[in-house]
Every structure is written in C-alpha cells, then in structure tokens.
Amino acid sequence: MEHLLIKGRNPLNGDVVISGAKNAVVAIIPAAIMANGVCIIDNLPAIEDVRCLQDTLTKLGCVCELIDEGTLMVDSSSLNNCNATFDSVRRIRASYYLMGALLGRFKEAKVALPGGCNFGTRPIDLHLKAFRALGAKIDEDYDNGIISLKADKLVGTNIFLDTVSVGATINIMLAATLAEGVTTIENAAKEPHIVDTANFLNMLGAKIKGAGTDVIRITGVESLHGAEYMIIPDQIEAGTYMIAAAACGGHVSVKNIIPKHMDSLSAKLKEMGCQIVEGDDFIDVISDGNLTATRVKTMAYPGFPTDLQPQMVVGLAKAEGISLLTETVWENRFQYIEQLRKFGCDISVDGRVATIHGVKQMNGADVMATDLRAGAAMVIAGLAANGITKIGNVRFIDRGYEKIEYKLKSLGADIKRVKDWWNLNLQLLQAVPLATVFT
Ligand code: UD1
C-alpha cells in the first residue's frame, strides 16, 4: 500500500509532457491481436492498465513485450487461447475489447466481465446487441461473470446505437473489420481514441471511414497485417494538468498534445479567468489561482469529458461564486465528493447535479482515491490546499497516470510517494518541504 503525500499551495510552473492516451492504447493493444503480422505500438504510456493488458495477452499465448521505453511489440502468431477469463481481465474496463478482437479474428471468445472504475451500472448490452446483429451467438453467464461469443461467420449490417457509447463503437469496429460486407454504425461516439483506433486498424489494412463523425462505415477485409503505430496524446491527462495549473496558479505549458481535443476545457478555463495560449502541439495555462464560478455539463465528445469531471469540481470548489456541474454520462459519478468535503469544500449533490459554493481556502486532508479520475481530483485538491494531504489507494491513480508525482514535482509541487509503513504524523510534516523528510 502506497500513499501520495502533498504539501499544498506551491504555484505550478514549467513544462509537462503528456503521455500516450490510456483510452486509445487499451483499445489498440487488443486490436493488435487481430493482425497476422507483428504490431509495434509507440508512445505507450507506462500505466497499470497497459501492464494488465500485457499480462492478459501473454496469457493468451501472444508475445507482448516492451522493446524499448514506450514501445510495445505484439505478435499474436502464437496465440492459442480464446479464453480470457483470468484475473487480469477482471481488473480493467477495457478488457471488453477482447470480445470484439477475438470474435473478429477467431470467431469465438470467452471473456470475463470487465472491472474498472465503479460509477454506477456500466452495462455492455449495446456491445452484445451489436455482436448478435453481426451474427454471433452469445451466452451471458452472470453467475460466473463470463461472456461467451461464437459465430460461424460475421456479416456486416446496420447498427444504430441507442446511446452514444465509446466502448460499443470501438468493439463494433473491431468485430466488423474482419466481417463479410459492410457495417454501418449510426449514432457512433466521436472521441479522439475512436479515431485513433480506426487509424490503427486502417494502418493494418482495415477499411474504416467516418471515425470522428457519428456515422462510421466499415467494409470488412479478409485479414490484417502488422504495422507500427504511434498512440495519440492523452486528452484526460492533459486536462488534469491544465486544471491543476488553473487551481494552483502559475504558468504551465502542457506539451505533446492535440489542442483541438482540449477545446471544451480550454473554453471553461477561460470563462473561469485563466489565460490560455494555444500552439501547434501545446497549451499554456496561465492563472493567478483566483477562479470564478461557472456551469459545466459533461457530454460525449466534443462536449466536456466526464473523465475530467472530478478534477473540474476541484477547480470550481475554489472558484468565487456558485458553480453547477451536471453529470450526464454516468449515473453515479459523485461518490468522491465525500472525500473532497474533508478539504473544506462546500459541495452538495442532488441526483446528477453538484452545486459547488467556492471556498476561499481549502485545507489538507487524509483522503482516499475512490477511482482513477477521483484520485486525480484528490491530487489537485491536495496541491491547492493549505498544509499536508495524504492520499491512499494510489493504485487507482497509477491505472491511468504515468509518473504523476515526478511530473508534478518538475512543475514545483511538493509531492512524495511513500510506503504504508511510514507512521505518518501529518502535523509534524507541516514545517518542512517533503523532500527534506523523505529521500
Ligand atoms: C469509456 C471510457 C471511460 C469514459 C466513458 C465515457 C474507456 C476504456 N473508458 O467508457 O473512461 O468515462 O467512455 O466517455 O475508453 N451504455 C449503455 N450500454 C452499453 C454501453 C454503455 O447503456 O452497452 C451507457 C453507459 O451506462 C453510459 C454511456 O452509455 O451511461 C456511455 O458509456 P460508454 O461510452 O460505453 O463508456 P465506456 O466505453 O465504458
């Protein structure tokens, strides 16, 4: 058990380089098993979800190895098992992409129900409905948490998604790529990682058009070959550092990003009083730490991402005035608010709406990361609060953020990862920089 310790109120200044996108790479690694040749994936983020997928592919018989820092090789020629029912599959949400990838290539798959962050029911009915429409027979064994899929062949068809779903859109693209004929997805999700997965598949020889719009057309091909591909930068990691800079004050240059992906956040941060300067592949956030209240509603892309909702709530918690944040994607994504109240934040929740009364000062607290993005929110709260914050359950944060404490330290934050056996006396740590206490 590790903790993050943060001594707050340092302004953040300098450059932070954003890693490859978690939600792209967790689709692209399973997609790589559909290729007959070797795939090389560059700009790989060093995060737990990637390690988990590496472990999973290895157990399926693939060779899945880091050949350099940030470069993964996937060779599925020795894949000998379509039963992905072991523990590493249950640990992450994105293991559902093994269904589309295995079904597409081998016409059968047995996959454990996905885990990941818990923010209410996370159904996969749209994925399964689409696989059935393509011709798969599915056995849903919820007692043992296993979904079995089998098809003599997959045949392209028209699929209208009742709800805009990132996972279902990608899973359909995967299965339909090696189906006979043409599949059309209507009301498709448009997130950057959908475009990235489509670009990767096209590089392997797939014929996918329209990714990034709400109609995607996939013409099935007989087989895919290997290729080398570079993952796009992580929109959510970038947004997390942008909000941290806004909340703490300072001048942070968020580098190696696609600024267009950040439009909804940049617009809100401007409304809140930050200066935003955009370049070709960076955004500078300049803030004096004094923010003003606003209204935010999470939406599918290009709307404000739900995965930046908890971090944004922290920014709003110290913004002058009353802010409203409406969560439209997940039914239960405010469980972490209880933890934020420990910092002195004044937030009430009614259903899907959080009302946030800005406070002048937040105070360090002893809190837990309740999920990945809520964990990032605790980090920002700790950076912006007076005194010492201790964050438990760091493993959630490690699922999606590469070297978070190193990146923040390089911006001037006083942050340290410590093992549980430190008998921490938070009061005694108030007087000195953490780096002088822990070496
Ligand atoms: C992905 C992201 C997650 C993000 C979410 C929304 C990955 C690995 N995870 O999750 O970080 O929060 O998109 O941007 O990329 N729904 C159904 N039936 C389904 C599938 C979804 O009703 O079969 C509903 C969900 O309950 C939710 C909405 O659709 O209300 C959106 O979910 P979806 O886009 O599928 O999220 P994920 O792909 O699981």
Side-chain angles (χ1 to χ4, degrees):
M1 269 282 273
E2 293 178 325
H3 290 92
L4 283 177
L5 275 189
I6 300 171
K7 190 161 185 188
R9 292 303 298 268
N10 285 8
L12 300 181
N13 286 295
D15 297 349
V16 60
V17 179
I18 297 307
S19 303
K22 166 188 166 285
N23 285 347
V25 78
V26 297
I28 285 172
I29 293 175
I33 67 176
M34 294 170 64
N36 288 334
V38 172
C39 293
I40 306 288
I41 302 167
D42 297 316
N43 200 26
L44 190 85
I47 54 174
E48 269 312 305
D49 273 22
V50 165
R51 287 184 271 269
C52 205
L53 276 170
Q54 230 183 303
D55 184 43
T56 301
L57 263 58
T58 306
K59 287 194 175 118
L60 291 175
C62 300
V63 179
C64 185
E65 285 171 358
L66 279 178
I67 52 173
D68 206 346
E69 198 185 340
T71 302
L72 186 75
M73 192 253 308
V74 180
D75 179 356
S76 64
S77 56
S78 50
L79 191 149
N80 53 14
N81 177 11
C82 289
N83 281 8
T85 50
F86 25 82
D87 264 3
S88 52
V89 177
R90 296 185 196 274
R91 266 189 273 141
I92 62 171
R93 181 77 187 154
S95 44
Y96 53 34
Y97 294 133
L98 291 167
M99 294 183 199
L102 289 169
L103 183 66
R105 177 152 182 210
F106 300 100
K107 308 294 176 266
E108 67 171 300
K110 211 176 213 188
V111 180
L113 279 172
C117 296
N118 172 19
F119 17 82
T121 50
R122 296 188 72 175
I124 55 166
D125 57 304
L126 296 174
H127 306 228
L128 301 184
K129 195 166 139 189
F131 293 144
R132 281 197 178 98
L134 290 168
K137 296 227 169 346
I138 302 179
D139 178 48
E140 301 172 52
D141 174 2
Y142 290 105
D143 290 339
N144 296 304
I146 291 173
I147 306 287
S148 305
L149 310 98
K150 204 167 174 46
D152 295 330
K153 61 177 182 176
L154 298 175
V155 180
T157 185
N158 277 9
I159 297 167
F160 186 94
L161 291 177
D162 305 333
T163 305
V164 179
S165 161
V166 170
T169 302
I170 291 180
N171 243 337
I172 298 167
M173 287 196 315
L174 293 173
T177 284
L178 292 173
E180 287 175 15
V182 177
T183 300
T184 307
I185 312 173
E186 289 184 69
N187 201 26
K190 295 180 277 200
E191 269 66 6
H193 33 290
I194 287 168
V195 180
D196 210 35
T197 308
N199 287 345
F200 172 69
L201 288 167
N202 283 342
M203 200 167 240
L204 303 184
K207 291 187 178 156
I208 302 174
K209 287 191 175 156
T213 76
D214 55 10
V215 181
I216 301 178
R217 180 179 278 257
I218 306 130
T219 304
V221 295
E222 277 191 6
S223 64
L224 297 175
H225 51 75
E228 179 159 5
Y229 189 77
M230 167 97 70
I231 302 288
I232 52 163
D234 196 305
Q235 174 204 20
I236 306 301
E237 190 198 16
T240 301
Y241 286 101
M242 287 171 68
I243 298 171
C248 295
H251 181 160
V252 172
S253 193
V254 184
K255 302 243 185 237
N256 182 37
I257 62 169
I258 299 172
K260 183 86 197 132
H261 293 168
M262 310 311 304
D263 279 356
S264 60
L265 174 62
S266 295
K268 282 294 150 192
L269 292 180
K270 279 183 200 163
E271 262 177 55
M272 291 166 74
C274 300
Q275 198 187 330
I276 302 288
V277 181
E278 272 186 31
D280 285 347
D281 64 351
F282 68 87
I283 292 181
D284 282 13
V285 179
I286 302 154
S287 163
D288 60 8
N290 298 314
L291 304 174
T292 42
T294 188
R295 290 178 176 223
V296 179
K297 195 184 252 191
T298 65
M299 310 273 275
Y301 189 82
F304 191 93
T306 173
D307 287 355
L308 285 175
Q309 181 256 100
Q311 303 89 314
M312 191 60 166
V313 165
V314 176
L316 298 174
K318 62 177 304 256
E320 193 181 339
I322 302 172
S323 298
L324 291 181
L325 195 145
T326 308
E327 170 59 54
T328 73
V329 180
W330 297 112
E331 63 182 15
N332 198 3
R333 203 173 189 172
F334 285 129
Q335 292 117 311
Y336 67 90
I337 298 276
E338 200 49 52
Q339 301 291 312
L340 277 190
R341 291 198 182 108
K342 296 184 187 175
F343 291 91
C345 297
D346 182 357
I347 305 170
S348 57
V349 175
D350 184 10
R352 287 180 179 243
V353 182
T355 304
I356 304 146
H357 291 253
V359 292
K360 285 211 164 58
Q361 183 178 304
M362 288 159 56
N363 294 310
D366 188 347
V367 291
M368 300 298 262
T370 50
D371 64 56
L372 166 57
R373 306 303 172 186
M378 297 306 135
V379 172
I380 299 175
L383 294 170
N386 277 329
I388 301 280
T389 289
K390 175 177 159 232
I391 303 171
N393 272 353
V394 182
R395 65 194 162 84
F396 279 125
I397 301 172
D398 293 335
R399 279 193 46 218
Y401 289 90
E402 175 174 339
K403 297 181 182 155
I404 190 165
E405 69 270 31
Y406 294 99
K407 290 189 182 185
L408 284 169
K409 218 190 286 179
S410 76
L411 295 175
D414 194 1
I415 180 167
K416 193 83 196 168
R417 184 182 290 251
V418 292
K419 298 263 184 231
D420 199 41
W421 46 264
W422 285 94
N423 190 10
L424 299 168
N425 182 328
L426 300 191
Q427 292 309 316
L428 286 180
L429 293 175
Q430 305 282 355
V432 286
L434 296 175
T436 61
V437 184
F438 305 102
T439 51

Coordinates of all heavy atoms in Angstrom, one line a residue, residues 22-24 26-27 49 93-94 96-97 119 121-128 163-170 189 191 193 299-301 305-307 328-331 333 352 372-373 399, ligand 1:
K22 N -4.4 6.7 -22.6 CA -4.8 5.5 -22.0 C -6.0 4.9 -22.7 O -6.0 3.7 -23.1 CB -5.3 5.7 -20.5 CG -6.0 4.6 -19.9 CD -6.6 5.0 -18.5 CE -7.7 4.0 -18.1 NZ -9.0 4.1 -18.7
N23 N -7.0 5.7 -23.0 CA -8.2 5.1 -23.6 C -8.0 4.7 -25.1 O -8.8 3.9 -25.6 CB -9.4 6.0 -23.4 CG -9.9 6.0 -22.0 OD1 -9.6 5.1 -21.2 ND2 -10.8 6.9 -21.6
A24 N -7.0 5.2 -25.7 CA -6.6 4.7 -27.0 C -5.8 3.4 -26.9 O -6.1 2.4 -27.6 CB -5.8 5.8 -27.8
V26 N -5.6 1.2 -24.6 CA -6.3 0.0 -24.1 C -7.3 -0.6 -25.2 O -7.7 -1.7 -25.0 CB -7.1 0.3 -22.8 CG1 -6.2 0.7 -21.7 CG2 -8.2 1.3 -23.0
A27 N -7.5 0.1 -26.2 CA -8.3 -0.5 -27.4 C -7.3 -1.0 -28.4 O -7.5 -2.0 -29.0 CB -9.2 0.6 -28.0
D49 N -2.9 -0.1 -16.4 CA -3.9 -0.7 -17.4 C -3.1 -1.3 -18.5 O -3.5 -2.4 -19.1 CB -4.9 0.3 -17.9 CG -6.1 0.4 -17.0 OD1 -6.0 0.1 -15.8 OD2 -7.2 0.9 -17.4
R93 N -11.6 -2.1 -17.2 CA -12.8 -2.0 -18.0 C -12.6 -2.4 -19.5 O -13.4 -3.1 -20.1 CB -13.2 -0.5 -17.9 CG -14.5 -0.2 -18.7 CD -15.6 -0.6 -17.9 NE -16.9 -0.5 -18.6 CZ -18.0 -1.2 -18.4 NH1 -18.0 -2.1 -17.5 NH2 -19.0 -1.0 -19.1
A94 N -11.4 -2.0 -20.0 CA -11.2 -2.1 -21.4 C -11.0 -3.6 -21.9 O -10.9 -3.8 -23.1 CB -10.0 -1.3 -21.8
Y96 N -13.1 -5.5 -22.2 CA -14.3 -5.8 -23.1 C -13.8 -5.8 -24.6 O -14.5 -6.3 -25.5 CB -15.5 -5.0 -22.9 CG -15.4 -3.5 -22.8 CD1 -14.6 -2.8 -23.6 CD2 -16.3 -2.8 -22.0 CE1 -14.5 -1.4 -23.6 CE2 -16.3 -1.4 -21.9 CZ -15.4 -0.7 -22.7 OH -15.3 0.6 -22.7
Y97 N -12.7 -5.1 -24.9 CA -12.3 -5.0 -26.3 C -11.8 -6.4 -26.8 O -11.6 -6.6 -28.0 CB -11.2 -3.9 -26.5 CG -11.8 -2.5 -26.3 CD1 -11.1 -1.6 -25.6 CD2 -13.0 -2.1 -26.9 CE1 -11.6 -0.3 -25.4 CE2 -13.5 -0.9 -26.7 CZ -12.8 0.0 -26.0 OH -13.3 1.3 -25.8
F119 N -18.7 3.7 -11.3 CA -19.5 4.8 -11.1 C -20.9 4.5 -11.6 O -21.4 5.0 -12.6 CB -19.0 6.1 -11.7 CG -17.9 6.0 -12.7 CD1 -18.2 5.7 -14.0 CD2 -16.6 6.2 -12.3 CE1 -17.2 5.7 -15.0 CE2 -15.6 6.2 -13.3 CZ -15.9 5.9 -14.6
T121 N -24.0 1.5 -12.6 CA -24.1 0.4 -13.5 C -23.3 0.7 -14.8 O -23.5 1.8 -15.3 CB -25.5 0.0 -13.9 OG1 -26.2 1.1 -14.3 CG2 -26.2 -0.6 -12.7
R122 N -22.5 -0.2 -15.3 CA -21.8 0.0 -16.5 C -22.1 -1.1 -17.5 O -21.4 -2.0 -17.7 CB -20.3 0.2 -16.3 CG -19.9 1.4 -15.4 CD -18.5 1.6 -15.3 NE -17.9 2.1 -16.5 CZ -16.6 2.4 -16.7 NH1 -15.8 2.4 -15.7 NH2 -16.1 2.9 -17.8
P123 N -23.3 -1.0 -18.1 CA -23.8 -2.1 -18.9 C -23.0 -2.3 -20.2 O -22.3 -1.3 -20.6 CB -25.2 -1.7 -19.3 CG -25.3 -0.3 -19.1 CD -24.3 0.1 -18.1
I124 N -23.0 -3.5 -20.8 CA -22.4 -3.7 -22.1 C -23.4 -4.3 -23.1 O -23.1 -4.9 -24.0 CB -21.1 -4.6 -22.0 CG1 -21.5 -6.0 -21.3 CG2 -20.0 -3.9 -21.3 CD1 -20.4 -7.0 -21.6
D125 N -24.7 -4.0 -22.7 CA -25.8 -4.5 -23.6 C -25.7 -4.1 -25.1 O -25.9 -4.9 -26.0 CB -27.2 -4.1 -23.0 CG -27.3 -2.6 -22.9 OD1 -26.4 -2.0 -22.2 OD2 -28.2 -2.0 -23.5
L126 N -25.2 -2.9 -25.3 CA -25.1 -2.4 -26.7 C -24.0 -3.1 -27.4 O -24.2 -3.4 -28.6 CB -24.8 -0.9 -26.7 CG -25.8 0.1 -26.1 CD1 -25.3 1.5 -26.1 CD2 -27.1 0.0 -26.9
H127 N -22.9 -3.5 -26.7 CA -21.8 -4.3 -27.4 C -22.4 -5.6 -27.8 O -22.2 -6.1 -28.9 CB -20.7 -4.6 -26.4 CG -20.1 -3.4 -25.7 ND1 -18.7 -3.2 -25.6 CD2 -20.6 -2.3 -25.0 CE1 -18.5 -2.0 -25.0 NE2 -19.6 -1.5 -24.6
L128 N -23.1 -6.3 -26.9 CA -23.6 -7.6 -27.1 C -24.7 -7.6 -28.2 O -24.7 -8.5 -29.1 CB -24.2 -8.2 -25.8 CG -23.1 -8.3 -24.7 CD1 -23.7 -9.1 -23.5 CD2 -21.8 -9.0 -25.1
T163 N -27.6 4.5 -27.3 CA -26.9 5.5 -26.5 C -25.5 5.7 -27.1 O -25.0 4.7 -27.6 CB -26.7 5.0 -25.1 OG1 -28.0 4.6 -24.6 CG2 -26.0 6.0 -24.2
V164 N -25.0 6.9 -27.1 CA -23.6 7.1 -27.7 C -22.7 6.4 -26.7 O -22.5 6.8 -25.6 CB -23.3 8.6 -27.8 CG1 -21.9 8.8 -28.3 CG2 -24.3 9.3 -28.6
S165 N -22.0 5.4 -27.2 CA -21.1 4.6 -26.3 C -19.7 4.4 -27.0 O -19.6 3.9 -28.1 CB -21.7 3.2 -26.1 OG -20.7 2.3 -25.7
V166 N -18.7 4.9 -26.3 CA -17.3 4.7 -26.7 C -17.0 3.3 -26.9 O -16.5 2.8 -28.0 CB -16.4 5.4 -25.7 CG1 -14.9 5.0 -26.0 CG2 -16.6 6.9 -25.6
G167 N -17.2 2.5 -25.9 CA -16.8 1.1 -25.9 C -17.5 0.3 -27.0 O -16.9 -0.5 -27.7
A168 N -18.8 0.5 -27.1 CA -19.6 -0.2 -28.1 C -19.1 0.2 -29.5 O -19.0 -0.7 -30.4 CB -21.1 0.0 -28.0
T169 N -18.9 1.5 -29.7 CA -18.4 1.9 -31.1 C -17.1 1.2 -31.4 O -17.0 0.7 -32.6 CB -18.2 3.5 -31.1 OG1 -19.4 4.1 -30.7 CG2 -17.8 4.0 -32.4
I170 N -16.2 1.2 -30.5 CA -14.9 0.6 -30.8 C -15.0 -1.0 -31.0 O -14.5 -1.6 -31.9 CB -13.8 0.9 -29.7 CG1 -13.5 2.4 -29.8 CG2 -12.6 0.0 -29.9 CD1 -12.5 2.9 -28.8
A189 N -20.0 7.1 -31.2 CA -19.2 8.0 -30.4 C -18.1 8.6 -31.2 O -17.7 8.0 -32.2 CB -18.6 7.3 -29.2
E191 N -15.1 10.3 -29.8 CA -14.0 10.6 -29.0 C -12.7 10.4 -29.8 O -12.6 9.5 -30.7 CB -13.9 9.7 -27.8 CG -14.6 10.2 -26.5 CD -16.1 10.3 -26.7 OE1 -16.7 9.9 -27.7 OE2 -16.8 10.9 -25.8
H193 N -10.1 8.8 -29.1 CA -9.5 7.5 -29.1 C -10.2 6.5 -30.1 O -9.7 5.5 -30.5 CB -9.4 6.9 -27.7 CG -10.5 7.2 -26.8 ND1 -10.6 8.5 -26.3 CD2 -11.5 6.5 -26.3 CE1 -11.7 8.6 -25.5 NE2 -12.2 7.4 -25.5
M299 N -20.6 15.8 -21.4 CA -21.2 15.3 -22.6 C -20.3 14.4 -23.4 O -19.1 14.5 -23.2 CB -21.6 16.4 -23.6 CG -22.3 17.6 -23.0 SD -24.0 17.4 -23.0 CE -24.5 17.9 -24.6
A300 N -20.8 13.6 -24.3 CA -19.9 12.9 -25.2 C -19.1 13.9 -26.0 O -19.5 15.0 -26.2 CB -20.7 12.0 -26.2
Y301 N -17.9 13.5 -26.5 CA -17.1 14.3 -27.3 C -17.8 14.9 -28.5 O -18.6 14.2 -29.1 CB -15.9 13.6 -27.8 CG -14.8 14.4 -28.5 CD1 -13.9 15.1 -27.7 CD2 -14.8 14.5 -29.9 CE1 -12.9 15.9 -28.3 CE2 -13.8 15.3 -30.5 CZ -12.8 16.0 -29.7 OH -11.9 16.8 -30.3
P305 N -15.6 16.4 -21.2 CA -15.5 14.9 -20.9 C -15.8 14.6 -19.4 O -15.3 15.3 -18.5 CB -14.0 14.6 -21.1 CG -13.3 15.9 -21.5 CD -14.3 17.0 -21.5
T306 N -16.6 13.6 -19.3 CA -16.9 13.1 -17.9 C -15.7 12.7 -17.2 O -15.6 12.8 -16.0 CB -17.9 11.9 -18.0 OG1 -18.1 11.4 -16.7 CG2 -17.4 10.8 -18.9
D307 N -14.6 12.3 -17.9 CA -13.4 11.9 -17.2 C -12.6 13.0 -16.7 O -11.6 12.8 -16.0 CB -12.5 11.0 -18.1 CG -13.1 9.6 -18.4 OD1 -14.1 9.3 -17.7 OD2 -12.6 8.8 -19.2
T328 N -23.9 14.0 -17.1 CA -25.0 13.4 -18.0 C -24.6 12.0 -18.4 O -25.4 11.3 -19.0 CB -25.3 14.2 -19.2 OG1 -24.2 14.1 -20.2 CG2 -25.6 15.7 -18.9
V329 N -23.3 11.6 -18.3 CA -22.9 10.3 -18.8 C -23.1 9.2 -17.9 O -23.7 8.2 -18.2 CB -21.4 10.4 -19.3 CG1 -20.9 9.1 -19.9 CG2 -21.2 11.5 -20.3
W330 N -22.6 9.4 -16.6 CA -22.6 8.3 -15.6 C -23.6 8.6 -14.5 O -23.6 9.8 -14.1 CB -21.2 8.0 -15.0 CG -20.2 7.5 -16.1 CD1 -19.1 8.2 -16.5 CD2 -20.3 6.3 -16.8 NE1 -18.5 7.4 -17.5 CE2 -19.2 6.2 -17.6 CE3 -21.1 5.2 -16.8 CZ2 -18.9 5.2 -18.5 CZ3 -20.9 4.1 -17.6 CH2 -19.8 4.1 -18.5
E331 N -24.4 7.6 -14.1 CA -25.4 7.9 -13.2 C -24.9 8.2 -11.7 O -25.6 8.8 -10.9 CB -26.4 6.7 -13.1 CG -25.8 5.4 -12.7 CD -26.8 4.3 -12.7 OE1 -27.9 4.4 -13.3 OE2 -26.5 3.2 -12.1
R333 N -21.5 9.3 -10.5 CA -20.0 9.7 -10.5 C -19.7 10.8 -9.5 O -18.7 11.5 -9.7 CB -19.6 10.1 -12.0 CG -18.1 9.9 -12.1 CD -17.6 10.1 -13.5 NE -16.2 9.6 -13.5 CZ -15.5 9.5 -14.6 NH1 -16.0 9.8 -15.8 NH2 -14.2 9.1 -14.5
R352 N -27.9 14.1 -10.5 CA -26.8 14.3 -11.4 C -26.2 15.7 -11.4 O -25.4 16.0 -12.2 CB -27.2 13.9 -12.8 CG -27.4 12.4 -13.0 CD -27.8 12.1 -14.4 NE -28.0 10.7 -14.6 CZ -27.3 10.0 -15.5 NH1 -26.4 10.6 -16.2 NH2 -27.5 8.7 -15.7
L372 N -10.0 6.1 -10.5 CA -8.9 6.8 -11.2 C -9.0 8.3 -11.3 O -8.1 9.0 -10.8 CB -8.9 6.2 -12.6 CG -8.0 6.8 -13.7 CD1 -6.6 7.0 -13.3 CD2 -8.1 6.1 -15.0
R373 N -10.1 8.8 -11.8 CA -10.2 10.3 -12.0 C -10.5 11.0 -10.7 O -10.1 12.1 -10.5 CB -11.2 10.6 -13.1 CG -11.0 9.9 -14.4 CD -9.6 10.2 -15.0 NE -9.4 9.3 -16.2 CZ -8.2 9.2 -16.8 NH1 -7.2 9.9 -16.5 NH2 -8.1 8.4 -17.9
R399 N -3.4 3.5 -12.5 CA -4.0 2.9 -13.7 C -4.0 3.8 -14.9 O -4.0 3.3 -16.0 CB -5.5 2.6 -13.3 CG -5.8 1.4 -12.5 CD -7.2 1.0 -12.5 NE -7.7 1.1 -13.9 CZ -8.9 1.5 -14.3 NH1 -9.8 1.9 -13.3 NH2 -9.3 1.6 -15.5
Ligands
UD1_1 C1 -15.3 5.0 -21.9 C2 -14.1 5.3 -21.2 C3 -14.4 6.0 -19.8 C4 -15.4 7.2 -20.1 C5 -16.5 6.8 -20.9 C6 -17.4 8.0 -21.4 C7 -12.5 3.7 -21.9 C8 -11.7 2.5 -21.6 N1 -13.3 4.1 -20.9 O1 -16.0 4.0 -21.1 O2 -13.2 6.4 -19.2 O3 -15.8 7.7 -18.8 O4 -16.1 6.1 -22.1 O5 -16.6 8.9 -22.0 O6 -12.4 4.2 -23.0 N2 -24.0 2.4 -22.0 C9 -25.1 1.5 -22.1 N3 -24.9 0.3 -22.7 C10 -23.7 -0.1 -23.2 C11 -22.6 0.7 -23.1 C12 -22.8 2.0 -22.5 O7 -26.2 1.9 -21.7 O8 -23.7 -1.2 -23.7 C13 -24.2 3.7 -21.4 C14 -23.3 3.8 -20.1 O9 -24.1 3.4 -19.0 C15 -23.0 5.3 -20.0 C16 -22.9 5.7 -21.5 O10 -23.5 4.6 -22.3 O11 -24.1 6.0 -19.5 C17 -21.6 5.9 -22.0 O12 -20.8 4.7 -21.8 P1 -19.6 4.3 -22.7 O13 -19.2 5.5 -23.6 O14 -19.8 3.0 -23.3 O15 -18.4 4.2 -21.7 P2 -17.2 3.2 -21.7 O16 -16.8 2.8 -23.1 O17 -17.4 2.1 -20.7

